[in-house]
Amino acid sequence: MGLCVISRSSSSSSSSSSRRRRFVWLILPVMVVVVVFIGIKRSNFVGGGSKYNPWVNWSYVSTSYSSNSVIKDDGDGGGGRRSTVAEVVAPAPVEGNYVFNSTYPPLAMEDEMDVELPVVAKEDDLNVTLSGPDVFVSINQTDVLPVDKKINKKYTSLDKLEARLGRVRAAIKEAESSNRSYDPDYVPNGPMYWNGASFHRSYLEMEKQFKVYVYEEGEPPIFHDGPCKSIYSMEGNFIYHMETTKFRTRNPEKAHTFFLPMSTTMMVRFIFERDPHVDHWLPMKQTVKDYVDLVGSKYPFWNRSLGADHFTVACHDWGPELSKAVPYLFKNSIRALCNANTSEGFNPSKDVSIPEILLPDGTTRGILDGPSPRNRPFLAFFAGGVHGPIRPVLLEHWQDKDPDLQVHKYLPKGVSYIGMLRQSKYCISPSGYEVASPRMVEALYTGCVPVLIKDHYVAPFSDVLNWKSFAVILTVEDIPNLKNILNGISTRQYLRMQRRGKQVRRHFEVNYPPKRYDVFHMILHSVWLRRLNIRIQGVDDS
């Protein structure tokens, strides 16, 4: 009996233990799912929910197939640890004028960048959650994705490229407070630069890393060609040097940006329809559209970013209008334009202002340098045609009315234009039909202090250069008081501006072959900055 009792008690205990084991085995998978779910959900938040980019002054835009997610790199640079925030990175304050200065707005503020995303991103949540190298779960999404998706995901060449750019952003930011890098050629310094240390580090990083893929499609003279001996010389000059520069890569997988080698000037020369009874824009715009469609259908890169990492160069006045042929080219792509007019759609957050330089023989021979600033008899000089809203006002008040202000519609016979620049302390550069003018660069070439009278104009390289330190910036309302304003500038201040202008002149010089810090490299650096301010996230690679 006792054995039987013992047997029953053991059986009861065994049964109870068995029930507990079954309960544990039942509850264990539930607990695992809960833990995994909590872990994935928590990965959506960075720094306790902070929505700001780790690079304090840098705002970039995710151009992934996601309508509401911005990837945030946690700065390890290894392409491994990432977290996501399902809201737009907040823009920095709007005051100031330099991308690396704490008071300057980031080049690519989300509300200004206006990068459009594919319609599929707004309609298909699956594309949102599976895009990029990680598993992303948006804040308002409750689906738990398989963990092995994240474990087995391989990083693409684009992921690695973006990780390296993340390290570059951090290095440029750090340059503000670290020791200056050694440079045997030139070290940017002085009030001409918003932040010389950051610009220098950015430039050195560009020289080490920046790679541009030039699409080979298209035939000259419309593509891969351009003018080098006219007022539009920078268009052809840049295209020519971009074909042979060390920054060019033949491997598009290694490229940070993609260059569309189209020449607006050549389109106007060879395609422009001069019949007043037809739409003269149509053939040129169709050419632009056909070219973008061609590279978009042949390569994955345009569609991957919707043009946000692609750029064009145009010095002809019609460049901005022709870019409207492709909406994404106008709104997303980096447009390097001489006609940098904000009232016509120029967006300094993503577009680049480049100088208009008149090169009669394709070189700067004979137009560089001038006499001492103390040996210039004229206070100011201007000569040019009457067109646009500003020049008529200037001529009305000052044309041939004061010997100190040499303001002319046409120069007298035998008087050298370049000679007058060299004899003047200040050289006036008013807008004409368009805001661009070679006069401001000609002033710097000859040691004359530029006087800019323009509306809605973004001066070249103004993300790096503080134009107010070496030029006089006036409004149309200042024209009647022009002489008093210029006379009111002390001799000491004038000499400072003149000396600073001579120093920054190197950034506007045209060289064959290009030299470090010259105009070709400055244009490229401006493109480099815009590329640093976006982040391209590719679709899921299987």
Side-chain angles (χ1 to χ4, degrees):
M1 174 67 85
L3 182 59
C4 188
V5 171
I6 295 174
S7 177
R8 288 187 59 189
S9 175
S10 174
S11 175
S12 174
S13 175
S14 174
S15 175
S16 175
S17 175
S18 175
R19 286 196 297 271
R20 283 197 298 270
R21 283 198 298 272
R22 285 198 299 270
F23 177 78
V24 169
W25 282 111
L26 286 173
I27 196 65
L28 184 60
V30 177
M31 293 175 64
V32 170
V33 171
V34 170
V35 170
V36 171
F37 175 76
I38 293 174
I40 294 178
K41 294 295 288 182
R42 288 186 63 184
S43 71
N44 286 286
F45 299 93
V46 180
S50 171
K51 65 180 180 178
Y52 292 97
N53 195 303
W55 303 285
V56 177
N57 296 317
W58 237 301
S59 174
Y60 57 79
V61 181
S62 170
T63 55
S64 67
Y65 280 53
S66 168
S67 60
N68 62 351
S69 294
V70 175
I71 299 180
K72 300 183 77 173
D73 198 319
D74 54 12
D76 64 350
R81 296 184 296 118
R82 288 198 186 180
S83 48
T84 63
V85 174
E87 52 188 301
V88 175
V89 177
V94 178
E95 297 83 350
N97 289 294
Y98 184 57
V99 62
F100 303 125
N101 191 303
S102 60
T103 59
Y104 184 74
L107 286 174
M109 293 186 294
E110 176 70 15
D111 57 346
E112 292 183 5
M113 188 73 174
D114 197 19
V115 174
E116 294 196 359
L117 299 170
V119 175
V120 66
K122 302 173 183 178
E123 297 176 351
D124 190 346
D125 284 340
L126 188 61
N127 285 337
V128 175
T129 58
L130 294 182
S131 64
D134 295 320
V135 176
F136 303 120
V137 182
S138 62
I139 284 178
N140 59 357
Q141 187 173 335
T142 57
D143 296 333
V144 179
L145 300 176
V147 177
D148 62 346
K149 286 284 186 178
K150 183 172 183 178
I151 295 174
N152 297 329
K153 183 63 186 179
K154 293 183 179 180
Y155 291 101
T156 66
S157 58
L158 176 61
D159 300 327
K160 297 173 183 178
L161 182 148
E162 289 293 348
R164 288 192 293 270
L165 290 183
R167 293 196 294 270
V168 170
R169 295 183 186 102
I172 294 172
K173 176 61 182 173
E174 184 183 355
E176 292 185 26
S177 56
S178 62
N179 294 330
R180 297 296 294 272
S181 301
Y182 173 74
D183 194 326
D185 290 341
Y186 181 68
V187 176
N189 193 26
M192 305 83 67
Y193 302 98
W194 294 114
N195 190 315
S198 293
F199 165 50
H200 191 210
R201 184 58 183 267
S202 175
Y203 187 91
L204 296 179
E205 292 290 343
M206 177 192 77
E207 288 185 319
K208 288 191 297 184
Q209 303 201 42
F210 195 30
K211 293 299 178 185
V212 179
Y213 184 78
V214 181
Y215 286 111
E216 298 182 359
E217 286 70 22
E219 298 293 333
I222 307 302
F223 305 95
H224 305 280
D225 196 5
C228 293
K229 296 183 179 180
S230 72
I231 199 171
Y232 309 122
S233 63
M234 290 315 302
E235 194 174 294
N237 183 283
F238 186 88
I239 292 173
Y240 171 77
H241 288 309
M242 197 66 250
E243 299 277 349
T244 57
T245 181
K246 67 176 183 179
F247 295 98
R248 181 178 184 179
T249 178
R250 303 285 178 172
N251 183 353
E253 296 291 342
K254 295 183 177 181
H256 300 91
T257 60
F258 300 81
F259 180 49
L260 302 164
M262 304 180 290
S263 172
T264 301
T265 304
M266 291 305 194
M267 291 184 200
V268 174
R269 183 180 301 177
F270 292 102
I271 301 178
F272 174 58
E273 179 58 69
R274 301 184 183 278
D275 186 343
H277 301 97
V278 300
D279 182 0
H280 63 268
W281 293 109
L282 184 59
M284 295 184 291
K285 287 188 173 183
Q286 189 62 47
T287 300
V288 174
K289 184 179 184 303
D290 289 346
Y291 189 75
V292 173
D293 287 346
L294 172 64
V295 299
S297 62
K298 188 173 181 179
Y299 303 90
F301 308 105
W302 174 272
N303 296 321
R304 179 181 70 184
S305 68
L306 293 180
D309 55 354
H310 287 57
F311 75 100
T312 61
V313 171
C315 236
H316 195 281
D317 294 345
W318 292 355
E321 181 64 28
L322 293 188
S323 69
K324 295 178 182 177
V326 180
Y328 290 136
L329 180 64
F330 179 81
K331 300 184 72 173
N332 290 2
S333 298
I334 303 167
R335 301 176 304 154
L337 303 173
C338 286
N339 187 20
N341 190 334
T342 57
S343 69
E344 297 178 2
F346 182 88
N347 182 354
S349 300
K350 71 171 190 67
D351 296 327
V352 171
S353 175
I354 64 177
E356 187 171 84
I357 304 177
L358 174 59
L359 300 175
D361 68 348
T363 73
T364 57
R365 285 192 298 263
I367 56 176
L368 294 180
D369 297 322
S372 163
R374 298 184 184 275
N375 296 326
R376 295 173 179 258
F378 302 120
L379 179 63
F381 166 69
F382 169 79
V386 184
H387 54 81
I390 295 178
R391 294 185 186 182
V393 179
L394 177 64
L395 293 171
E396 177 187 354
H397 283 88
W398 296 108
Q399 182 180 359
D400 302 323
K401 292 182 179 180
D402 192 311
D404 288 339
L405 268 65
Q406 292 290 312
V407 177
H408 307 279
K409 183 177 180 181
Y410 302 106
L411 276 177
K413 289 184 179 180
V415 177
S416 165
Y417 178 80
I418 295 296
M420 289 298 296
L421 293 173
R422 290 178 171 141
Q423 294 183 72
S424 304
K425 295 179 178 178
Y426 299 94
C427 295
I428 305 171
S429 177
S431 292
Y433 286 129
E434 301 293 350
V435 293
S437 169
R439 288 174 173 79
M440 52 203 293
V441 175
E442 291 167 343
L444 294 174
Y445 279 180
T446 56
C448 189
V449 176
V451 179
L452 308 186
I453 310 177
K454 301 172 183 288
D455 289 329
H456 312 293
Y457 181 54
V458 178
F461 317 136
S462 54
D463 44 12
V464 167
L465 298 179
N466 176 11
W467 276 82
K468 289 184 178 181
S469 71
F470 58 88
V472 179
I473 315 294
L474 300 179
T475 65
V476 179
E477 290 73 20
D478 293 322
I479 290 177
N481 200 33
L482 178 60
K483 184 174 182 179
N484 290 335
I485 292 173
L486 297 181
N487 277 329
I489 299 174
S490 68
T491 300
R492 184 179 181 182
Q493 181 62 18
Y494 158 69
L495 293 175
R496 283 176 177 168
M497 288 193 291
Q498 200 269 353
R499 183 174 63 252
R500 294 165 184 168
K502 289 182 67 176
Q503 184 173 338
V504 301
R505 190 187 77 183
R506 68 167 56 238
H507 301 316
F508 298 88
E509 291 181 4
V510 179
N511 297 297
Y512 295 94
K515 297 179 181 179
R516 301 180 72 219
Y517 296 101
D518 69 0
V519 68
F520 170 76
H521 288 95
M522 289 298 289
I523 294 173
L524 208 57
H525 179 262
S526 293
V527 175
W528 162 250
L529 282 184
R530 272 67 181 177
R531 178 60 180 89
L532 283 174
N533 279 276
I534 59 173
R535 180 163 192 159
I536 309 301
Q537 180 191 355
V539 294
D540 186 51
D541 297 314
S542 57

